[in-house]
Amino acid sequence: MKVARILISAEEIQAKLAEMGEAITRDYQGTDLLMIGILKGAFVVLADLARHVRLPVETDFMAVSSYHGGTHSSGLVRILKDLDQEIEGRNVLIVEDIIDTGHTLKYLLRTLAVRKPATLSLASLLIKDDVERPHFDIQYEGFHIPNEFVIGYGLDYDEKYRNLPYIGVMDTDSTTSPTDVQDGFKLAD
Ligand code: IMP
Ligand code: MG
């Protein structure tokens, strides 16, 4: 596998998550917080972000599939795995790896709001810029990145590379000469 370049290093990710975790700790002091990771991508972010939150949080997961047709997401989302618990009256924080078209989140926010949580907020490690998306507030933002396909730190290409410790831009240019390309896992050393 070839990585064109490292966009965000493992150290930069941890520093950002520490900041986000501090803000979450401050904001949810004295309340009970349920952090919900959106599978599969967010399993890595949730694991690290939760450990930067100095509160006895609960965690849960949801899995959804979005149907992408052509260059635009259709906006159709299906729940593959629902939450294990009720969220009525709870302080809920959705944790995402990346917001691209925003269709997945728009659907999730609407679906979860119906269940009447006390509060419903959103944290995302990555937000793609220059993408037209429906408006919703993102209370805890990680990095704004260009509209390129990225892998690593939970993000996959064809279900692989979620275990890269950094966020990389995948080399999709088959004309790149072999001396220019690097093995993505060696880059992690
Ligand atoms: P959205 O509904 O378009 O915002 O899609 C969000 C989902 O698409 C994410 O949770 C990812 O699974 C996937 N996705 C979007 N952009 C990328 C990318 O650059 N690399 C890998 N997965 C991506
Ligand atoms: Mg994916």
Side-chain angles (χ1 to χ4, degrees):
M1 183 268 304
K2 316 299 184 197
V3 166
R5 63 180 200 281
I6 294 181
L7 193 62
I8 307 168
S9 72
E11 292 74 22
E12 290 170 320
I13 293 170
Q14 290 308 319
K16 181 65 80 179
L17 291 179
E19 273 176 33
M20 293 167 75
E22 254 176 57
I24 292 166
T25 303
R26 205 169 45 234
D27 294 351
Y28 289 92
Q29 205 69 243
T31 72
D32 72 323
L33 172 60
L34 174 64
M35 297 176 76
I36 297 177
I38 309 306
L39 296 172
K40 297 178 189 168
F43 83 100
V44 183
V45 186
L46 180 62
D48 282 349
L49 180 60
R51 282 178 290 177
H52 286 293
V53 176
R54 307 295 175 199
L55 300 169
V57 300
E58 288 177 44
T59 54
D60 203 345
F61 289 95
M62 255 180 119
V64 295
S65 76
S66 27
Y67 300 93
H68 291 266
T71 52
H72 288 284
S73 166
S74 63
L76 277 174
V77 179
R78 195 158 56 100
I79 295 179
L80 302 177
K81 182 222 169 289
D82 208 334
L83 298 170
D84 291 340
Q85 56 204 290
E86 306 295 319
I87 58 166
E88 186 171 349
R90 304 291 310 270
N91 291 293
V92 172
L93 177 62
I94 300 176
V95 178
E96 258 290 24
D97 48 359
I98 190 165
I99 300 173
D100 182 10
T101 66
H103 286 308
T104 311
L105 273 192
K106 188 183 163 215
Y107 170 84
L108 270 174
L109 287 166
R110 217 173 40 209
T111 303
L112 294 181
V114 170
R115 303 180 190 181
K116 300 201 169 23
T119 63
L120 182 58
S121 298
L122 176 58
S124 185
L125 179 66
L126 304 175
I127 297 129
K128 277 194 188 171
D129 281 337
D130 309 320
V131 178
E132 264 191 50
R133 66 172 67 94
H135 174 79
F136 43 77
D137 291 329
I138 307 167
Q139 283 75 20
Y140 306 97
E141 296 187 335
F143 301 95
H144 287 260
I145 62 167
N147 190 9
E148 289 180 286
F149 194 82
V150 290
I151 52 171
Y153 205 75
L155 293 158
D156 71 302
Y157 171 70
D158 207 12
E159 290 301 325
K160 294 191 180 65
Y161 315 122
R162 295 189 196 275
N163 59 322
L164 284 174
Y166 58 82
I167 308 277
V169 177
M170 202 172 56
D171 188 2
T172 49
D173 183 1
S174 57
T175 63
T176 313
S177 93
T179 51
D180 291 341
V181 296
Q182 295 165 286
D183 181 285
F185 288 98
K186 286 194 181 129
L187 281 174
D189 296 335

